[in-house]
Amino acid sequence: MHGMISGPPEAATKNIATSRVVLLLLVVMTGVAPISLYILVPALPVLATTFGRDISIAQMTVSLYMVGIALSQLIMGPLSDKFGRRPVLLGGLALMVGASVACMFTETLPQLIAARFFQALGGASGMVISRAIIRDIYERDRVASMISLVVAALMIGQMVSPLTGGLIETAFGWRAIFYAVTAGALAVAVGIAIALPETRRDRAVGSGGFRSDVGGLIKSRAFIGYVMCQVLASQIIFTFAGGGPYIVVTQMGRTSAEYGAWFATTGFAYLIGNLLCVRFAPRHALEKLIWFGLALQLCGSLLNLMWSLTGWNEAPGWLFGTQMIVMVGNAFVMANSAAGAISIRPEAAGTASGAMGFLQQGIGALMSQFGAYLGGHSATTLALTSAVLAISLLCACTMIFVVPRGEIMVSEALIEQAEEEETGMM
């Protein structure tokens, strides 16, 4: 470990960890940016018509928003390690509120696109800092289960946000969506200001800063391996989501509404996987749960490839039914590898979380386009299912060849030793 760190008193940390209010805040601060992303999607055709622009230009209110999420995680994570979780969270949400107000009064589509970018830049602070807070207040063997619990609650919000956005737009117009987003962001900021204490661990003199954190993380093969595993696992979602519409609508001749219903099954499977992880993570080793998830990913993706070769998954039931197996495993891999990555250097949890989130979103934007190319330029599902299997294999390879077996145990022992010494210093 680099330097010694100190944290809140043990009793205070336990009170924070068992607080339902804090858990609720973790959920809403994680969800404010992605929910704001999806709530506008149903209004995109209306935006194109209102401003007299092509739908591809209106789509930039989504694509530039995703860029803002990626950049925010790279920026906000290290800032939260340096200045604390609360001030960076409140500053990010203040930026989101200001940008949301600007969205209400935009007169041109480029203005709206720019305001949406800053909305994401501020709002995504909750996504990266929530993972750091979880590492601050929970023991290492509970980190994965708490991440899964937060993600599971978030998934429910994401599932209903497009419907909510559609209802708001139909009843009150598209600008009303931003009134709702502004009110939601403001409520989250007030909740954080009132109920969330500072959880960042204070550094001892000489323990180093941002450069020391980045250097220590980059030098850790375990950190690199866990991040690669988590990021690769997330690319399965982006790739499949990018190619799915073209396969179902174009190849299979189904409606977009039917595609939406089938795609919801993968989100439901991911939700179930996270709930199972909440149950099993405290009882089993992190690495064992990652391997369990990798096995499910590989089995599901291999089955889907077989169905492609036989032609069976030209029907949505076969394609999405098997993909559900992949998504249950995906939840185990992503939650536990994220927990491993942010536990390598607990005092740099924000930096680790930000780097992981940036890579996940940044590469995800490219892989979504890649999936769309595979789905739109193929006559069968074979290209897409082959890509999903290849990513699953790469994900497993990171655990085999990058994460060192012996150093994992050393790293865990050092983390536990540091946490014991923190308690003794108080």
Side-chain angles (χ1 to χ4, degrees):
M1 298 284 287
H2 263 16
M4 283 309 304
I5 50 179
S6 62
E10 184 178 6
T13 302
K14 288 183 178 179
N15 289 337
I16 298 171
T18 56
S19 169
R20 293 184 179 180
V21 174
V22 170
L23 181 58
L24 177 61
L25 286 174
L26 288 172
V27 172
V28 295
M29 75 173 69
T30 302
V32 67
I35 288 175
S36 299
L37 168 64
Y38 294 111
I39 198 171
L40 186 65
V41 170
L44 293 181
V46 176
L47 290 178
T49 302
T50 300
F51 292 107
R53 307 296 288 266
D54 186 79
I55 187 67
S56 62
I57 305 299
Q59 179 68 26
M60 292 182 69
T61 60
V62 172
S63 56
L64 264 293
Y65 191 98
M66 293 182 67
V67 172
I69 288 178
L71 290 176
S72 176
Q73 298 194 64
L74 194 63
I75 296 168
M76 299 299 183
L79 286 178
S80 74
D81 285 337
K82 182 175 179 61
F83 298 108
R85 314 301 185 205
R86 272 173 53 89
V88 177
L89 268 172
L90 291 173
L93 288 170
L95 175 60
M96 184 181 189
V97 169
S100 299
V101 171
C103 288
M104 299 177 195
F105 300 104
T106 52
E107 298 297 332
T108 67
L109 194 52
Q111 289 176 357
L112 180 61
I113 292 169
R116 284 278 285 174
F117 172 80
F118 287 104
Q119 188 184 51
L121 197 65
S125 59
M127 296 175 65
V128 58
I129 296 175
S130 64
R131 289 192 294 261
I133 291 175
I134 288 172
R135 184 61 190 95
D136 291 340
I137 64 178
Y138 293 104
E139 298 294 332
R140 187 174 188 271
D141 58 1
R142 290 195 62 198
V143 171
S145 63
M146 296 312 301
I147 290 176
S148 294
L149 182 60
V150 169
V151 171
L154 170 62
M155 286 296 296
I156 297 172
Q158 286 181 292
M159 287 178 184
V160 301
S161 56
L163 174 62
T164 303
L167 292 174
I168 292 175
E169 191 281 321
T170 301
F172 305 106
W174 65 267
R175 294 184 190 273
I177 292 175
F178 294 109
Y179 284 92
V181 170
T182 302
L186 194 58
V188 174
V190 171
I192 290 170
I194 294 174
L196 183 70
E198 180 57 60
T199 64
R200 185 195 59 162
R201 301 159 183 256
D202 295 327
R203 298 172 182 269
V205 177
S207 62
F210 174 70
R211 290 184 180 180
S212 176
D213 291 340
V214 172
L217 292 172
I218 291 176
K219 291 176 183 177
S220 169
R221 282 185 60 193
F223 171 76
I224 297 298
Y226 283 133
V227 168
M228 288 178 63
C229 188
Q230 201 271 353
V231 171
L232 284 169
S234 69
Q235 302 317 303
I236 293 175
I237 301 175
F238 286 111
T239 303
F240 190 82
Y246 298 94
I247 287 176
V248 175
V249 177
T250 305
Q251 293 183 23
M252 300 180 182
R254 308 302 177 97
T255 66
S256 57
E258 188 172 351
Y259 163 74
W262 281 111
F263 187 74
T265 63
T266 63
F268 179 73
Y270 187 72
L271 172 63
I272 294 300
N274 277 288
L275 292 175
L276 290 173
C277 193
V278 171
R279 180 177 180 84
F280 294 119
R283 306 177 188 177
H284 300 279
L286 178 147
E287 189 180 31
K288 183 185 293 185
L289 293 174
I290 292 177
W291 278 112
F292 173 73
L294 289 171
L296 284 180
Q297 278 188 177
L298 284 169
C299 288
S301 56
L302 184 59
L303 282 174
N304 242 345
L305 181 66
M306 292 172 59
W307 304 156
S308 293
L309 292 171
T310 59
W312 290 0
N313 67 0
E314 292 302 318
W318 286 93
L319 178 65
F320 286 91
T322 312
Q323 185 67 15
M324 289 177 70
I325 300 174
V326 177
M327 294 307 298
V328 171
N330 191 267
F332 275 86
V333 176
M334 289 185 64
N336 287 281
S337 56
I342 64 177
S343 295
I344 298 299
R345 286 174 60 89
E347 76 275 23
T351 301
S353 176
M356 184 168 54
F358 172 76
L359 290 172
Q360 178 181 317
Q361 296 290 331
I363 299 175
L366 297 176
M367 293 304 292
S368 178
Q369 291 295 114
F370 177 63
Y373 177 84
L374 294 179
H377 292 78
S378 303
T380 69
T381 61
L382 182 60
L384 184 63
T385 55
S386 297
V388 171
L389 177 60
I391 298 171
S392 298
L393 288 170
L394 285 174
C395 196
C397 285
T398 61
M399 288 299 294
I400 298 172
F401 299 112
V402 182
V403 179
R405 302 280 79 75
E407 291 185 23
I408 292 176
M409 299 307 297
V410 174
S411 176
E412 290 180 359
L414 286 172
I415 291 168
E416 292 172 2
Q417 177 185 352
E419 289 175 345
E420 290 173 0
E421 290 176 354
E422 287 167 25
T423 302
M425 290 175 63
M426 298 308 301

